[in-house]
Amino acid sequence: MERRELLKMIAAATGAAFIGNPLALAAESAQRLGTGFSADDVLLLNEIAETIIPRTDSPGAKDANIGQLMTRLVSDCYLPSEQALFRQGMQKLNEAALSQFSKPFLLLEQKHKHSLLTELNDEAYRYNKQNKVRHWELGRPGGTPDEDKVLPHYFTLFKQLTLFGFFTSKPGATQVLRYVAVPGRYDGEFPYKKGDKAWAT
């Protein structure tokens, strides 16, 4: 799957555009330590991501350690206002879990995790539509914050980073998508069978 197609899919799946170059920045900073997130934060983000893309007969988000990638992208690629929204979102998600099920998100049964994230997903769609944040752009490092910019619902950030991180990870690209390391000749009549996986590039 080409990066452009992945970004289009994320925009369609989350109702807000995902624009920027987080992959290059993440690769550039992969060896640096310190994101400002704790190990417990990574654990929580991995559980959120795994609920969005669970392991089935193919790898899930936890197999790609998406929580760790999320912390790197947020700390390196988000403007302060976007980072604050993301962190507040983690707290609000736990508050919602406590309010509905009297347990923090990490201790919920899988069906309750799924139920809560489904509700938040619907809430995010309504919020983004009502506030016209479809064309929200990911802040660029070094850019100046736009005080008038309406940020998306916090769950939109979780979902976008999960999708982006997973389908650009090794497990996502090589075990979920079809992957050919060295492309061959162009074949405009390559046979397609219903249910075939999309191609990774």
Side-chain angles (χ1 to χ4, degrees):
M1 182 180 295
E2 291 184 7
R3 182 175 177 274
R4 182 176 294 175
E5 291 304 310
L6 174 60
L7 296 180
K8 283 183 187 174
M9 181 203 59
I10 289 171
T14 63
F18 188 104
I19 300 171
N21 194 15
L23 260 188
L25 287 163
E28 186 179 287
S29 62
Q31 301 306 315
R32 292 206 313 265
L33 297 175
T35 61
F37 289 91
S38 68
D40 288 342
D41 292 335
V42 173
L43 194 63
L44 172 63
L45 293 170
N46 266 330
E47 282 302 319
I48 293 168
E50 183 71 12
T51 305
I52 295 171
I53 303 178
R55 171 178 262 282
T56 54
D57 55 345
S58 58
K62 259 200 277 197
D63 294 303
N65 196 14
I66 295 303
Q68 185 68 53
L69 177 66
M70 287 168 124
T71 64
R72 177 58 63 197
L73 291 176
V74 169
S75 65
D76 287 359
C77 304
Y78 278 22
L79 292 173
S81 58
E82 296 158 349
Q83 291 181 24
L85 174 66
F86 187 88
R87 289 176 183 278
Q88 288 164 10
M90 293 171 65
Q91 185 177 341
K92 286 182 180 177
L93 185 139
N94 254 331
E95 287 170 358
L98 286 165
S99 172
Q100 286 191 42
F101 304 107
S102 303
K103 291 180 182 177
F105 186 79
L106 285 172
L107 298 181
L108 296 182
E109 294 178 37
Q110 193 57 42
K111 64 180 180 180
H112 293 151
K113 288 179 184 173
H114 184 268
S115 166
L116 178 59
L117 293 196
T118 299
E119 283 180 30
L120 289 176
N121 188 55
D122 293 342
E123 181 183 307
Y125 266 109
R126 288 192 303 272
Y127 176 90
N128 292 339
K129 186 174 182 179
Q130 181 180 348
N131 291 281
K132 299 180 180 170
V133 292
R134 179 154 182 78
H135 301 294
W136 168 73
E137 293 191 7
L138 180 67
R140 290 168 177 76
T144 54
D146 182 354
E147 299 300 330
D148 298 326
K149 180 169 73 170
V150 178
L151 294 174
H153 189 279
Y154 70 85
F155 183 74
T156 301
L157 305 184
F158 297 152
K159 189 173 177 182
Q160 286 187 343
L161 290 176
T162 297
L163 295 172
F164 184 81
F166 182 73
F167 288 108
T168 55
S169 70
K170 185 175 180 181
T174 62
Q175 296 177 54
V176 175
L177 301 173
R178 292 185 288 175
Y179 177 76
V180 178
V182 181
R185 64 178 178 80
Y186 173 75
D187 184 354
E189 296 182 10
F190 191 83
Y192 169 77
K193 294 189 293 271
K194 187 171 182 174
D196 279 351
K197 298 175 182 177
W199 289 100
T201 56

